[in-house]
Amino acid sequence: MALSPMPDLGPMLLAGSQEYSRRCLDLGSAAAQMIPHVSDIAYGLDPFQKLDLWIPKNRPPEPISVLVFFHGGAWRNGYKEWISAMAPAVTSSPAILVAPNYRLVPQVRLADIMDDCQQALSWVGKHIADYGGDASRIILAGHSAGGHLAAMLTVQRDLLCAAGLSK
């Protein structure tokens, strides 16, 4: 599994970040050999506005839960491909794993990143049933900056409403 063609993001801020990235990509490459997935689904026009889906190999006939997991990286680094390392654990539960990319600072502001996450979530709500997912059982999560983004989407009901996922 390789990164989508994207601009170099420069050095990562935290010690050990490069090793973390390499390990996640190695685990993701192994997962890609075993787990059905669809890569680089566009939810917007920017090259960063893409997501990957990881689908259980032996999913039940009824719709299953969906985990939308936003990558970390201090809002300025990171890739959806890091999340592929989680695919074996999530799909074995069974659930669908959705790993969105989003635009990064300093090219955009946090409000733009939130808009990207909302658009990705909206795409999931509209299309996840096509992949066996249940749009009424979407779980939002993330690590580091991605955890912040998931929390902000969760507590701002207007963002969920705009994404078509809450009333």
Side-chain angles (χ1 to χ4, degrees):
M1 165 171 269
L3 293 176
S4 302
M6 293 185 172
D8 180 24
L9 302 177
M12 290 185 238
L13 301 174
L14 301 174
S17 297
Q18 296 293 354
E19 294 80 16
Y20 171 81
S21 178
R22 175 74 337 214
R23 182 69 176 138
C24 286
L25 294 175
D26 288 347
L27 290 169
S29 292
Q33 303 303 312
M34 305 178 302
I35 300 168
H37 59 283
V38 182
S39 299
D40 294 329
I41 299 170
Y43 66 84
L45 300 177
D46 190 272
F48 279 89
Q49 293 173 320
K50 293 181 181 171
L51 55 84
D52 294 346
L53 299 178
W54 294 84
I55 304 157
K57 193 183 297 186
N58 299 312
R59 73 173 189 256
E62 65 274 355
I64 59 175
S65 296
V66 179
L67 173 61
V68 178
F69 199 97
F70 297 102
H71 69 79
W75 304 277
R76 63 168 283 141
N77 287 109
Y79 300 98
K80 61 183 171 49
E81 286 81 2
W82 287 354
I83 308 311
S84 62
M86 298 172 46
V90 174
T91 60
S92 69
S93 65
I96 295 173
L97 174 62
V98 180
N101 257 350
Y102 49 86
R103 295 172 291 164
L104 302 167
V105 298
Q107 288 75 23
V108 299
R109 300 182 65 172
L110 183 57
D112 300 312
I113 295 172
M114 287 300 302
D115 184 58
D116 286 359
C117 294
Q118 179 187 9
Q119 286 182 53
L121 190 55
S122 180
W123 185 94
V124 171
K126 291 175 185 168
H127 300 282
I128 203 64
D130 298 338
Y131 299 91
D134 184 343
S136 70
R137 293 168 47 202
I138 297 173
I139 302 151
L140 297 180
H143 58 52
S144 194
H148 167 257
L149 298 169
M152 292 302 292
L153 282 169
T154 301
V155 300
Q156 294 185 31
R157 190 166 291 285
D158 60 325
L159 296 178
L160 292 176
C161 288
L165 295 176
S166 184
K167 296 179 175 64

